[in-house]
Coordinates of all heavy atoms in Angstrom, one line a residue:
M1 N 233.0 -43.5 46.7 CA 232.4 -42.9 45.5 C 233.0 -43.4 44.2 O 232.3 -43.6 43.2 CB 232.5 -41.4 45.6 CG 231.8 -40.7 44.5 SD 231.7 -38.9 44.9 CE 231.0 -38.3 43.4
G2 N 234.3 -43.7 44.3 CA 234.9 -44.2 43.1 C 234.3 -45.5 42.6 O 234.1 -45.8 41.4
L3 N 234.1 -46.4 43.6 CA 233.5 -47.7 43.2 C 232.0 -47.5 42.7 O 231.6 -48.2 41.8 CB 233.4 -48.7 44.4 CG 234.8 -49.2 44.8 CD1 234.7 -50.0 46.1 CD2 235.4 -50.0 43.7
G4 N 231.3 -46.5 43.2 CA 230.0 -46.2 42.7 C 230.0 -45.7 41.3 O 229.2 -46.1 40.5
L5 N 231.0 -44.9 41.0 CA 231.1 -44.4 39.6 C 231.5 -45.5 38.7 O 231.0 -45.6 37.5 CB 232.2 -43.3 39.6 CG 231.7 -42.0 40.3 CD1 232.9 -41.0 40.4 CD2 230.5 -41.3 39.6
L6 N 232.4 -46.4 39.1 CA 232.7 -47.6 38.3 C 231.5 -48.4 38.0 O 231.2 -48.9 36.9 CB 233.8 -48.4 39.0 CG 234.2 -49.7 38.2 CD1 234.7 -49.4 36.8 CD2 235.2 -50.5 39.0
A7 N 230.7 -48.7 39.1 CA 229.4 -49.4 38.9 C 228.5 -48.7 37.9 O 227.9 -49.4 37.1 CB 228.7 -49.6 40.3
K8 N 228.4 -47.4 38.0 CA 227.6 -46.6 37.1 C 228.0 -46.9 35.7 O 227.2 -47.1 34.8 CB 227.6 -45.2 37.5 CG 226.9 -44.3 36.5 CD 227.1 -42.8 36.9 CE 226.4 -42.0 35.8 NZ 227.1 -40.7 35.6
R9 N 229.3 -46.8 35.5 CA 229.9 -47.0 34.1 C 229.6 -48.4 33.6 O 229.2 -48.5 32.4 CB 231.4 -46.7 34.1 CG 232.0 -46.7 32.8 CD 233.5 -46.3 32.9 NE 234.0 -46.3 31.6 CZ 235.3 -46.0 31.3 NH1 236.1 -45.6 32.3 NH2 235.7 -46.1 30.1
L10 N 229.8 -49.4 34.4 CA 229.5 -50.8 34.0 C 228.0 -51.0 33.7 O 227.7 -51.6 32.7 CB 230.0 -51.7 35.1 CG 231.5 -51.8 35.3 CD1 231.8 -52.7 36.5 CD2 232.2 -52.4 34.0
L11 N 227.2 -50.4 34.6 CA 225.7 -50.6 34.4 C 225.3 -49.9 33.1 O 224.5 -50.5 32.3 CB 225.0 -50.0 35.6 CG 223.5 -50.3 35.7 CD1 223.3 -51.8 35.8 CD2 222.9 -49.6 36.9
Q12 N 225.8 -48.7 32.9 CA 225.4 -48.0 31.6 C 225.9 -48.8 30.4 O 225.2 -48.8 29.4 CB 226.1 -46.6 31.6 CG 225.4 -45.6 32.5 CD 226.0 -44.2 32.5 OE1 225.3 -43.3 32.9 NE2 227.2 -44.0 32.1
Y13 N 227.1 -49.4 30.5 CA 227.6 -50.1 29.4 C 226.8 -51.4 29.1 O 226.4 -51.7 28.0 CB 229.1 -50.6 29.7 CG 229.7 -51.4 28.6 CD1 230.1 -50.9 27.4 CD2 229.7 -52.8 28.8 CE1 230.6 -51.7 26.4 CE2 230.3 -53.6 27.8 CZ 230.7 -53.1 26.6 OH 231.2 -53.9 25.6
Q14 N 226.4 -52.1 30.2 CA 225.6 -53.3 30.0 C 224.2 -53.0 29.6 O 223.6 -53.7 28.7 CB 225.5 -54.1 31.4 CG 226.9 -54.6 31.8 CD 227.4 -55.7 30.8 OE1 226.6 -56.5 30.3 NE2 228.7 -55.7 30.6
L15 N 223.6 -51.9 30.1 CA 222.2 -51.6 29.7 C 222.1 -50.8 28.5 O 221.0 -50.6 27.9 CB 221.5 -50.9 30.9 CG 221.4 -51.7 32.2 CD1 220.7 -50.9 33.3 CD2 220.5 -53.0 31.9
R16 N 223.2 -50.2 28.1 CA 223.2 -49.2 26.9 C 222.2 -48.1 27.2 O 221.5 -47.7 26.3 CB 222.8 -49.9 25.6 CG 223.7 -51.1 25.3 CD 225.1 -50.7 24.8 NE 225.8 -51.8 24.1 CZ 226.7 -52.6 24.7 NH1 226.9 -52.4 26.0 NH2 227.3 -53.5 24.1
A17 N 222.1 -47.6 28.4 CA 221.2 -46.5 28.8 C 221.9 -45.7 29.8 O 222.6 -46.2 30.7 CB 219.9 -47.1 29.3
P18 N 221.7 -44.4 29.8 CA 222.3 -43.5 30.8 C 221.7 -43.8 32.2 O 220.5 -44.2 32.3 CB 222.0 -42.1 30.3 CG 220.8 -42.3 29.4 CD 220.9 -43.6 28.8
S19 N 222.5 -43.5 33.2 CA 222.0 -43.7 34.6 C 222.7 -42.6 35.5 O 223.8 -42.2 35.2 CB 222.3 -45.1 35.1 OG 221.9 -45.2 36.4
T20 N 222.0 -42.3 36.6 CA 222.7 -41.4 37.5 C 223.4 -42.2 38.6 O 223.1 -43.4 38.7 CB 221.6 -40.5 38.2 OG1 220.8 -41.3 39.0 CG2 220.8 -39.7 37.2
L21 N 224.3 -41.6 39.3 CA 225.0 -42.3 40.4 C 224.0 -42.8 41.4 O 224.1 -43.9 41.9 CB 226.1 -41.4 41.0 CG 226.9 -42.0 42.1 CD1 227.6 -43.3 41.7 CD2 227.9 -41.0 42.7
A22 N 223.0 -41.9 41.7 CA 222.0 -42.3 42.7 C 221.2 -43.5 42.3 O 221.0 -44.5 43.1 CB 221.1 -41.1 43.0
N23 N 220.8 -43.6 41.0 CA 220.0 -44.7 40.5 C 220.9 -46.0 40.5 O 220.5 -47.1 40.9 CB 219.5 -44.4 39.1 CG 218.3 -43.5 39.2 OD1 217.6 -43.4 40.2 ND2 218.0 -43.0 38.0
T24 N 222.2 -45.8 40.1 CA 223.1 -47.0 40.1 C 223.2 -47.5 41.5 O 223.2 -48.7 41.7 CB 224.4 -46.5 39.5 OG1 224.3 -46.1 38.2 CG2 225.4 -47.7 39.6
M25 N 223.4 -46.7 42.5 CA 223.6 -47.1 43.9 C 222.3 -47.8 44.3 O 222.3 -48.9 45.0 CB 223.9 -46.0 44.8 CG 225.2 -45.3 44.5 SD 226.7 -46.4 44.6 CE 226.8 -46.6 46.3
A26 N 221.1 -47.3 43.9 CA 219.9 -48.0 44.3 C 219.7 -49.3 43.6 O 219.2 -50.3 44.3 CB 218.7 -47.1 43.9
Y27 N 220.1 -49.4 42.4 CA 220.0 -50.7 41.6 C 220.9 -51.8 42.2 O 220.6 -53.0 42.1 CB 220.4 -50.5 40.2 CG 219.5 -49.6 39.4 CD1 220.0 -48.8 38.4 CD2 218.1 -49.5 39.7 CE1 219.2 -48.0 37.6 CE2 217.3 -48.6 38.9 CZ 217.8 -47.9 37.9 OH 217.0 -47.0 37.2
T28 N 222.1 -51.3 42.8 CA 223.1 -52.3 43.2 C 223.2 -52.4 44.7 O 224.2 -52.9 45.2 CB 224.4 -51.9 42.6 OG1 224.8 -50.6 43.0 CG2 224.4 -52.0 41.0
Y29 N 222.2 -52.0 45.5 CA 222.3 -51.9 46.9 C 222.6 -53.3 47.5 O 223.3 -53.5 48.5 CB 221.1 -51.2 47.6 CG 219.9 -52.1 47.7 CD1 219.6 -52.8 48.9 CD2 219.0 -52.2 46.7 CE1 218.5 -53.6 49.0 CE2 217.9 -52.9 46.7 CZ 217.6 -53.6 47.9 OH 216.5 -54.4 48.0
K30 N 222.0 -54.4 46.9 CA 222.2 -55.7 47.4 C 223.7 -56.1 47.3 O 224.2 -56.7 48.3 CB 221.3 -56.7 46.7 CG 219.8 -56.6 46.9 CD 219.0 -57.5 46.1 CE 217.5 -57.3 46.3 NZ 216.7 -58.2 45.5
Q31 N 224.3 -55.8 46.2 CA 225.7 -56.1 46.0 C 226.6 -55.3 47.0 O 227.5 -55.8 47.6 CB 226.1 -55.8 44.6 CG 225.6 -56.8 43.6 CD 224.1 -56.6 43.2 OE1 223.6 -55.5 43.5 NE2 223.5 -57.6 42.6
W32 N 226.2 -54.0 47.2 CA 226.9 -53.2 48.2 C 226.8 -53.8 49.6 O 227.8 -53.9 50.4 CB 226.4 -51.8 48.2 CG 226.8 -51.0 47.0 CD1 226.0 -50.6 46.0 CD2 228.1 -50.6 46.6 NE1 226.7 -50.0 45.0 CE2 228.0 -50.0 45.3 CE3 229.4 -50.7 47.2 CZ2 229.1 -49.4 44.7 CZ3 230.5 -50.2 46.5 CH2 230.3 -49.5 45.3
N33 N 225.6 -54.2 50.0 CA 225.4 -54.8 51.3 C 226.2 -56.1 51.5 O 226.8 -56.3 52.5 CB 223.9 -55.1 51.5 CG 223.1 -53.9 51.9 OD1 223.7 -52.8 51.9 ND2 221.8 -54.1 52.0
E34 N 226.3 -56.9 50.4 CA 227.1 -58.1 50.5 C 228.6 -57.8 50.6 O 229.3 -58.4 51.4 CB 226.9 -59.0 49.3 CG 227.6 -60.3 49.4 CD 227.3 -61.3 48.2 OE1 226.6 -60.9 47.3 OE2 227.8 -62.4 48.3
A35 N 229.0 -56.8 49.9 CA 230.4 -56.3 50.0 C 230.7 -55.8 51.4 O 231.8 -56.1 52.0 CB 230.7 -55.3 49.0
I36 N 229.8 -55.1 52.0 CA 230.0 -54.6 53.4 C 230.1 -55.8 54.4 O 230.9 -55.8 55.3 CB 228.9 -53.6 53.8 CG1 229.1 -52.3 52.9 CG2 228.9 -53.3 55.3 CD1 227.8 -51.4 53.0
A37 N 229.2 -56.8 54.2 CA 229.2 -57.9 55.1 C 230.5 -58.7 54.9 O 231.1 -59.2 55.8 CB 228.0 -58.8 54.8
M38 N 231.0 -58.8 53.6 CA 232.3 -59.5 53.4 C 233.4 -58.8 54.1 O 234.3 -59.4 54.7 CB 232.6 -59.6 51.9 CG 231.7 -60.5 51.1 SD 232.1 -60.4 49.4 CE 231.4 -61.9 48.8
Q39 N 233.4 -57.5 54.1 CA 234.5 -56.7 54.8 C 234.4 -57.0 56.3 O 235.5 -57.2 56.9 CB 234.3 -55.2 54.5 CG 234.7 -54.8 53.1 CD 234.4 -53.4 52.8 OE1 233.8 -52.7 53.6 NE2 234.8 -52.9 51.6
A40 N 233.2 -57.0 56.8 CA 233.1 -57.3 58.3 C 233.6 -58.7 58.6 O 234.3 -58.9 59.6 CB 231.6 -57.1 58.7
W41 N 233.3 -59.6 57.7 CA 233.7 -61.0 57.9 C 235.3 -61.1 57.9 O 235.9 -61.8 58.7 CB 233.1 -61.9 56.8 CG 233.4 -63.4 57.0 CD1 234.5 -64.1 56.5 CD2 232.6 -64.3 57.6 NE1 234.4 -65.4 56.9 CE2 233.3 -65.6 57.6 CE3 231.4 -64.3 58.3 CZ2 232.7 -66.7 58.1 CZ3 230.8 -65.4 58.8 CH2 231.5 -66.6 58.7
I42 N 235.9 -60.4 56.9 CA 237.3 -60.4 56.8 C 238.0 -59.8 58.1 O 239.0 -60.3 58.6 CB 237.8 -59.8 55.5 CG1 237.4 -60.6 54.3 CG2 239.3 -59.5 55.5 CD1 237.6 -59.9 53.0
R43 N 237.4 -58.7 58.5 CA 237.9 -58.1 59.7 C 237.9 -59.0 60.9 O 238.8 -59.0 61.8 CB 237.1 -56.8 60.1 CG 237.6 -55.6 59.4 CD 237.0 -54.3 59.9 NE 236.6 -53.5 58.8 CZ 235.4 -53.3 58.3 NH1 234.3 -53.8 58.9 NH2 235.2 -52.5 57.2
R44 N 236.8 -59.8 61.0 CA 236.7 -60.7 62.2 C 237.5 -62.0 62.0 O 238.1 -62.5 63.0 CB 235.2 -61.1 62.4 CG 235.1 -62.1 63.5 CD 233.9 -61.9 64.4 NE 234.0 -62.7 65.6 CZ 232.9 -63.3 66.1 NH1 231.7 -63.1 65.5 NH2 233.1 -64.0 67.2
Y45 N 237.5 -62.6 60.8 CA 238.1 -63.9 60.6 C 239.4 -63.9 59.8 O 240.0 -64.9 59.6 CB 237.1 -64.9 60.0 CG 235.9 -65.1 60.8 CD1 234.7 -64.5 60.5 CD2 235.9 -65.8 62.0 CE1 233.5 -64.7 61.3 CE2 234.8 -66.0 62.8 CZ 233.6 -65.4 62.5 OH 232.5 -65.6 63.3
G46 N 239.7 -62.8 59.2 CA 241.0 -62.7 58.4 C 240.9 -63.1 57.0 O 241.9 -62.9 56.3
S47 N 239.9 -63.8 56.6 CA 239.7 -64.2 55.2 C 238.2 -64.4 54.9 O 237.4 -64.4 55.9 CB 240.5 -65.4 54.8 OG 239.9 -66.6 55.4
L48 N 237.9 -64.7 53.7 CA 236.5 -65.0 53.3 C 236.1 -66.4 53.5 O 235.0 -66.8 53.3 CB 236.2 -64.5 51.9 CG 235.9 -63.1 51.7 CD1 235.7 -62.8 50.2 CD2 234.6 -62.7 52.4
K49 N 237.1 -67.2 53.9 CA 236.8 -68.7 54.1 C 235.6 -68.9 55.0 O 235.6 -68.3 56.2 CB 238.0 -69.4 54.7 CG 237.9 -70.9 54.8 CD 239.1 -71.5 55.3 CE 238.8 -73.0 55.4 NZ 239.8 -73.9 55.1
G50 N 234.6 -69.6 54.6 CA 233.4 -69.9 55.4 C 232.3 -68.9 55.2 O 231.2 -69.2 55.6
F51 N 232.5 -67.8 54.5 CA 231.5 -66.8 54.4 C 230.3 -67.3 53.6 O 229.2 -67.1 54.0 CB 232.1 -65.5 53.8 CG 231.0 -64.4 53.6 CD1 230.6 -63.6 54.6 CD2 230.5 -64.2 52.3 CE1 229.7 -62.6 54.4 CE2 229.6 -63.2 52.1 CZ 229.2 -62.4 53.2
S52 N 230.6 -67.9 52.4 CA 229.5 -68.3 51.5 C 228.7 -69.4 52.2 O 227.4 -69.4 52.1 CB 230.1 -68.9 50.2 OG 230.6 -67.8 49.5
D53 N 229.3 -70.3 52.9 CA 228.6 -71.4 53.6 C 227.7 -70.7 54.7 O 226.6 -71.1 54.9 CB 229.5 -72.4 54.2 CG 230.2 -73.3 53.2 OD1 229.6 -73.4 52.1 OD2 231.3 -73.8 53.4
W54 N 228.3 -69.8 55.4 CA 227.6 -69.1 56.5 C 226.3 -68.4 56.0 O 225.3 -68.4 56.6 CB 228.5 -68.1 57.2 CG 227.8 -67.4 58.3 CD1 227.6 -67.9 59.6 CD2 227.3 -66.1 58.3 NE1 227.0 -66.9 60.4 CE2 226.8 -65.8 59.6 CE3 227.3 -65.1 57.3 CZ2 226.2 -64.5 59.9 CZ3 226.7 -63.9 57.6 CH2 226.2 -63.6 58.9
T55 N 226.4 -67.7 54.8 CA 225.3 -67.0 54.3 C 224.2 -67.9 53.9 O 223.0 -67.5 53.7 CB 225.7 -66.1 53.1 OG1 226.2 -66.9 52.0 CG2 226.7 -65.0 53.4
R56 N 224.4 -69.2 53.7 CA 223.4 -70.2 53.3 C 222.9 -71.0 54.4 O 222.1 -71.9 54.2 CB 223.9 -71.0 52.2 CG 224.2 -70.3 50.9 CD 224.5 -71.2 49.7 NE 225.8 -71.9 49.9 CZ 227.0 -71.5 49.4 NH1 227.0 -70.4 48.6 NH2 228.1 -72.2 49.7
S57 N 223.4 -70.8 55.6 CA 223.1 -71.6 56.8 C 222.0 -71.0 57.6 O 222.1 -69.8 58.1 CB 224.3 -71.7 57.7 OG 225.4 -72.4 57.1
P58 N 220.8 -71.7 57.7 CA 219.7 -71.1 58.4 C 220.0 -70.9 59.9 O 220.7 -71.7 60.5 CB 218.6 -72.2 58.3 CG 219.0 -73.0 57.1 CD 220.5 -72.9 57.1
R59 N 219.5 -69.8 60.5 CA 219.7 -69.5 61.9 C 218.6 -68.6 62.3 O 217.9 -68.0 61.5 CB 221.0 -68.9 62.2 CG 221.3 -67.7 61.3 CD 222.7 -67.1 61.5 NE 222.9 -66.6 62.8 CZ 224.0 -66.7 63.5 NH1 225.0 -67.3 63.1 NH2 224.0 -66.1 64.7
I60 N 218.4 -68.4 63.6 CA 217.4 -67.5 64.2 C 218.1 -66.2 64.4 O 219.1 -66.1 65.0 CB 216.8 -68.0 65.5 CG1 216.2 -69.4 65.4 CG2 215.8 -67.0 66.1 CD1 215.0 -69.5 64.5
F61 N 217.5 -65.1 63.8 CA 218.0 -63.8 64.0 C 217.1 -63.0 65.0 O 215.8 -63.0 64.7 CB 218.1 -63.0 62.7 CG 219.2 -63.5 61.8 CD1 218.9 -64.5 60.9 CD2 220.5 -63.0 62.0 CE1 219.9 -64.9 60.0 CE2 221.5 -63.5 61.2 CZ 221.2 -64.4 60.2
P62 N 217.6 -62.4 66.0 CA 216.8 -61.7 67.0 C 216.0 -60.5 66.3 O 216.5 -59.8 65.5 CB 217.8 -61.0 67.9 CG 219.0 -61.9 67.8 CD 219.0 -62.4 66.4
G63 N 214.7 -60.5 66.5 CA 213.9 -59.4 66.0 C 213.4 -59.6 64.6 O 212.6 -58.8 64.0
I64 N 213.8 -60.7 63.9 CA 213.3 -61.0 62.6 C 212.6 -62.4 62.5 O 213.2 -63.4 62.8 CB 214.5 -61.0 61.6 CG1 215.1 -59.6 61.5 CG2 214.0 -61.5 60.2 CD1 216.3 -59.5 60.6
A65 N 211.4 -62.4 62.2 CA 210.6 -63.6 62.1 C 210.9 -64.5 63.3 O 211.5 -65.6 63.1 CB 210.8 -64.3 60.8
P66 N 210.5 -64.1 64.5 CA 210.8 -64.9 65.7 C 210.5 -66.4 65.5 O 209.4 -66.8 65.1 CB 209.9 -64.3 66.8 CG 209.6 -63.0 66.3 CD 209.6 -63.0 64.8
G67 N 211.5 -67.3 65.8 CA 211.3 -68.7 65.7 C 211.4 -69.3 64.3 O 211.3 -70.5 64.1
A68 N 211.5 -68.5 63.3 CA 211.6 -68.9 61.9 C 213.1 -68.8 61.4 O 213.6 -67.7 61.2 CB 210.7 -68.2 61.0
P69 N 213.8 -69.9 61.3 CA 215.2 -69.8 60.8 C 215.2 -69.2 59.4 O 214.4 -69.5 58.5 CB 215.6 -71.3 60.7 CG 214.6 -72.1 61.6 CD 213.4 -71.3 61.5
M70 N 216.2 -68.4 59.2 CA 216.4 -67.7 57.9 C 217.9 -67.7 57.7 O 218.7 -67.8 58.6 CB 215.9 -66.3 57.9 CG 214.4 -66.2 58.1 SD 213.8 -64.5 58.0 CE 213.7 -64.3 56.3
T71 N 218.3 -67.6 56.4 CA 219.7 -67.6 56.1 C 220.2 -66.1 56.1 O 219.4 -65.2 55.8 CB 220.1 -68.2 54.8 OG1 219.5 -67.4 53.7 CG2 219.6 -69.6 54.7
P72 N 221.4 -65.8 56.5 CA 221.9 -64.4 56.3 C 221.7 -63.9 54.9 O 221.4 -62.7 54.8 CB 223.4 -64.5 56.7 CG 223.4 -65.7 57.6 CD 222.4 -66.7 57.1
G73 N 221.9 -64.7 53.9 CA 221.7 -64.3 52.5 C 220.3 -63.8 52.2 O 220.1 -62.9 51.4
Q74 N 219.3 -64.4 52.9 CA 217.9 -64.0 52.7 C 217.6 -62.6 53.3 O 216.8 -61.9 52.8 CB 216.9 -65.0 53.4 CG 216.9 -66.3 52.7 CD 216.0 -67.3 53.5 OE1 216.3 -67.6 54.6 NE2 215.0 -67.8 52.8
I75 N 218.3 -62.2 54.4 CA 218.0 -60.9 55.0 C 219.0 -59.9 54.8 O 218.8 -58.7 55.1 CB 217.8 -61.1 56.5 CG1 219.0 -61.5 57.2 CG2 216.6 -62.1 56.8 CD1 219.0 -61.4 58.7
M76 N 220.1 -60.2 54.1 CA 221.2 -59.2 53.9 C 220.8 -57.9 53.2 O 221.2 -56.9 53.6 CB 222.3 -59.9 53.2 CG 223.6 -59.2 53.3 SD 225.0 -60.0 52.5 CE 225.0 -61.6 53.3
A77 N 219.9 -58.0 52.3 CA 219.5 -56.9 51.5 C 218.7 -55.9 52.3 O 218.8 -54.7 52.2 CB 218.7 -57.3 50.2
G78 N 217.8 -56.4 53.2 CA 216.9 -55.6 54.0 C 217.3 -55.3 55.4 O 216.7 -54.4 56.0
A79 N 218.2 -56.1 56.0 CA 218.5 -56.0 57.4 C 220.0 -56.2 57.6 O 220.5 -57.0 58.3 CB 217.7 -57.0 58.2
L80 N 220.8 -55.4 56.9 CA 222.2 -55.5 56.9 C 222.8 -55.4 58.3 O 223.7 -56.1 58.7 CB 222.9 -54.5 56.0 CG 224.4 -54.5 56.0 CD1 224.9 -55.8 55.4 CD2 224.9 -53.3 55.1
E81 N 222.2 -54.5 59.1 CA 222.7 -54.3 60.5 C 222.6 -55.6 61.3 O 223.5 -55.9 62.1 CB 222.0 -53.1 61.2 CG 220.6 -53.3 61.5 CD 219.6 -53.1 60.3 OE1 220.1 -52.7 59.2 OE2 218.4 -53.5 60.4
V82 N 221.6 -56.4 61.1 CA 221.4 -57.6 61.8 C 222.4 -58.6 61.4 O 223.0 -59.3 62.2 CB 220.0 -58.2 61.5 CG1 219.8 -59.6 62.1 CG2 218.9 -57.2 62.1
V83 N 222.7 -58.7 60.1 CA 223.8 -59.6 59.6 C 225.1 -59.1 60.1 O 225.9 -60.0 60.6 CB 223.8 -59.6 58.0 CG1 225.0 -60.3 57.5 CG2 222.5 -60.2 57.5
L84 N 225.4 -57.8 60.2 CA 226.7 -57.4 60.7 C 226.8 -57.7 62.2 O 227.9 -58.0 62.6 CB 226.8 -55.9 60.4 CG 227.0 -55.5 59.0 CD1 227.0 -53.9 58.8 CD2 228.2 -56.1 58.3
D85 N 225.7 -57.5 62.9 CA 225.8 -57.9 64.3 C 226.1 -59.4 64.5 O 226.8 -59.8 65.4 CB 224.4 -57.6 65.0 CG 224.2 -56.1 65.3 OD1 225.2 -55.3 65.1 OD2 223.0 -55.7 65.5
A86 N 225.5 -60.2 63.6 CA 225.8 -61.7 63.7 C 227.2 -62.0 63.4 O 227.9 -62.8 64.0 CB 224.9 -62.4 62.8
I87 N 227.8 -61.3 62.5 CA 229.2 -61.5 62.1 C 230.1 -61.0 63.2 O 231.1 -61.7 63.6 CB 229.6 -60.7 60.8 CG1 228.9 -61.4 59.6 CG2 231.1 -60.7 60.5 CD1 229.0 -60.6 58.3
T88 N 229.9 -59.9 63.7 CA 230.8 -59.3 64.7 C 230.6 -59.9 66.1 O 231.4 -59.7 67.0 CB 230.6 -57.8 64.9 OG1 229.3 -57.5 65.3 CG2 230.9 -57.1 63.6
G89 N 229.5 -60.7 66.3 CA 229.3 -61.3 67.6 C 228.5 -60.4 68.6 O 228.4 -60.7 69.7
T90 N 228.0 -59.3 68.1 CA 227.3 -58.4 69.0 C 225.8 -58.7 69.1 O 225.1 -58.0 69.8 CB 227.5 -56.9 68.6 OG1 227.1 -56.7 67.3 CG2 229.0 -56.5 68.8
A91 N 225.3 -59.6 68.2 CA 223.9 -60.0 68.2 C 223.5 -60.7 69.5 O 224.3 -61.6 70.0 CB 223.6 -60.8 67.0
A92 N 222.4 -60.5 70.0 CA 221.9 -61.2 71.1 C 221.3 -62.5 70.6 O 220.5 -62.6 69.7 CB 220.8 -60.4 71.8
E93 N 221.8 -63.6 71.2 CA 221.3 -65.0 70.8 C 220.2 -65.4 71.7 O 220.1 -65.1 72.8 CB 222.5 -66.0 70.9 CG 223.6 -65.7 69.9 CD 223.3 -66.0 68.5 OE1 222.4 -66.9 68.2 OE2 223.8 -65.3 67.6

């Protein structure tokens, strides 16, 4: 919640308009998803080394556009659980 309130304060400062915590969280959900994926990556690999390259590397994700390679960065905002499964190694290949 503390990080959400900080994001709210920064967003209000940048936009010069009031915002609620709920709206701020909705506006910044893509960034939150990326932060969650980064945390999972660090838990598995011990550092962020390779994360950016991995997010830009096309691959097939089970259940998402069968046969069409996509990058983790393309689906992170809408299918975070699929990205997390790929990071943790629990995804079916």
